[in-house]
Amino acid sequence: MFSNRYVRTIIGSRVLLHLGIWIRNYAVLLYVTDLTHNNPVYVSLISVAEFAPIFLFALIGGTFADRWRPKRTMVGSDLLSALSVAGVLLALINGGWNVLLIGSFLSASLSQFSQPSAMKLYKRHVPGEQLQGVMAMSQTLAAVFTVLGPVIGTLIFLKLGIHVSLILTAVLFLGSSLILATLPRDAIERHSGFQSGFMSELTAGIKYVWSNQALRTLCLSFAVVGFASGLTQPLQIFIVVEQLGQSKAFLQWLVMTNGAAMLIGGAAMIGIAKKIQPQRLFIAGLLTTAICTIGIGISALIWLTILLLIISGLVYPAIQGGIQTLIVRNTEMAFMGRVSGAIMPAFMGMMVVGMFLSGYLKDAFSLSTVYALSGVIIMAGVLILRQLRERQPNK
């Protein structure tokens, strides 16, 4: 796969981009918590600034990605991200720390234009039999930074401070832009009957997803899984304190264990991706995750909880790699950006709904009940996914 110039270049740029994002996120988080004395309102605003663009701009960014040339869009997005961080740094030097939230929001918004363009390039330049392996590689990269990113971001901030952290972030974003600039010039695309206004194209993208049986099934299944994930995500600390009887600090070990398992699972996925159909991979990953979720909710044994977290981490790349491969295979090139921009917000939006309800459900019932409910809902997502007819790579 690394013999493919597009794969090699995009993965290389994503290494710098992920590193820059983690350094920025943790520098901003730690700086704001220090400055506001752990004010929960400002801390929550940081999360809003980082996640809100997914809801606001994913579909918009996907629509523009279909209208614009992918290489130019990715290079421009990373370059503008670097410039926005530089602007935030200048404002911060002059005493305006609130602009950190605006800078995080702008940078996260620009990534919503870049990600769909990368999917378009994969669709166009990666052979069908290699596509699932490439998606697995992307998820492995994300897992690596899930484990290492917080550590690197925290160390850089503590040793060098907020100003150097932002300078490094800007340099890494700029480096990502320069790497992508080495790709061949974009081919000029002809959009038959596709030069209408922006809103009509955005609407056409939504209609395309809903009229396509495979994409509609994927969207519904992914939304259900997102809701189930949201139910348990805020409750991990209660697993540590109530179920396992440990201090809050023990949570970091569970998170790192799960992240390390994701890394190993992603590496394994690269090797087996060609041998297993993505739909079967997705279903197997979801079923395993559902069983592990129910088990974590009732386990009072540290070793059993860790084992279940390792298993769920190992199969997580199968879920992400499977759905990304299915999206690419079942989407026409002209709609690639809008489909990516429509399905991911469905997952994230339902996950936020689940996170909002999780605390109320725990108070009304019990921790084990919420985890069991999450596992059952994931299984419901599997039932929805079984309606999908597998599409061959060459089609």
Side-chain angles (χ1 to χ4, degrees), residues 364-388:
F365 302 100
S366 68
L367 186 63
S368 299
T369 301
V370 177
Y371 269 78
L373 177 62
S374 175
V376 171
I377 293 174
I378 293 174
M379 292 181 183
V382 173
L383 294 177
I384 295 173
L385 189 64
R386 287 181 63 86
Q387 302 173 25
L388 179 65

Side-chain angles (χ1 to χ4, degrees), residues 117-255:
S117 297
M119 297 285 282
K120 282 188 70 175
L121 289 177
Y122 283 147
K123 171 81 172 179
R124 181 177 297 159
H125 298 288
V126 176
E129 65 274 9
Q130 294 182 1
L131 191 59
Q132 193 163 324
V134 171
M135 295 302 172
M137 190 185 304
S138 298
Q139 294 306 315
T140 302
L141 184 64
V144 168
F145 283 99
T146 299
V147 178
L148 299 180
V151 177
I152 296 173
T154 301
L155 286 176
I156 289 177
F157 173 78
L158 294 177
K159 296 291 184 181
L160 303 175
I162 185 65
H163 295 118
V164 175
S165 297
L166 292 178
I167 290 172
L168 283 175
T169 299
V171 169
L172 289 166
F173 286 168
L174 180 60
S176 175
S177 178
L178 293 175
I179 289 176
L180 290 169
T182 64
L183 288 172
R185 181 178 299 180
D186 288 313
I188 298 176
E189 300 178 20
R190 294 182 178 180
H191 302 294
S192 56
F194 192 62
Q195 294 295 340
S196 53
F198 170 80
M199 287 305 300
S200 63
E201 291 181 9
L202 187 148
T203 304
I206 297 174
K207 290 180 179 177
Y208 176 79
V209 172
W210 196 251
S211 63
N212 185 311
Q213 188 270 339
L215 294 177
R216 186 172 66 249
T217 301
L218 286 172
C219 188
L220 291 173
S221 178
F222 212 35
V224 168
V225 173
F227 178 71
S229 300
L231 287 177
T232 57
Q233 192 169 31
L235 303 181
Q236 295 177 9
I237 188 66
F238 296 104
I239 290 292
V240 172
V241 176
E242 296 181 7
Q243 295 284 101
L244 303 180
Q246 301 294 311
S247 66
K248 294 180 181 179
F250 190 72
L251 177 62
Q252 64 180 321
W253 300 109
L254 297 185
V255 173

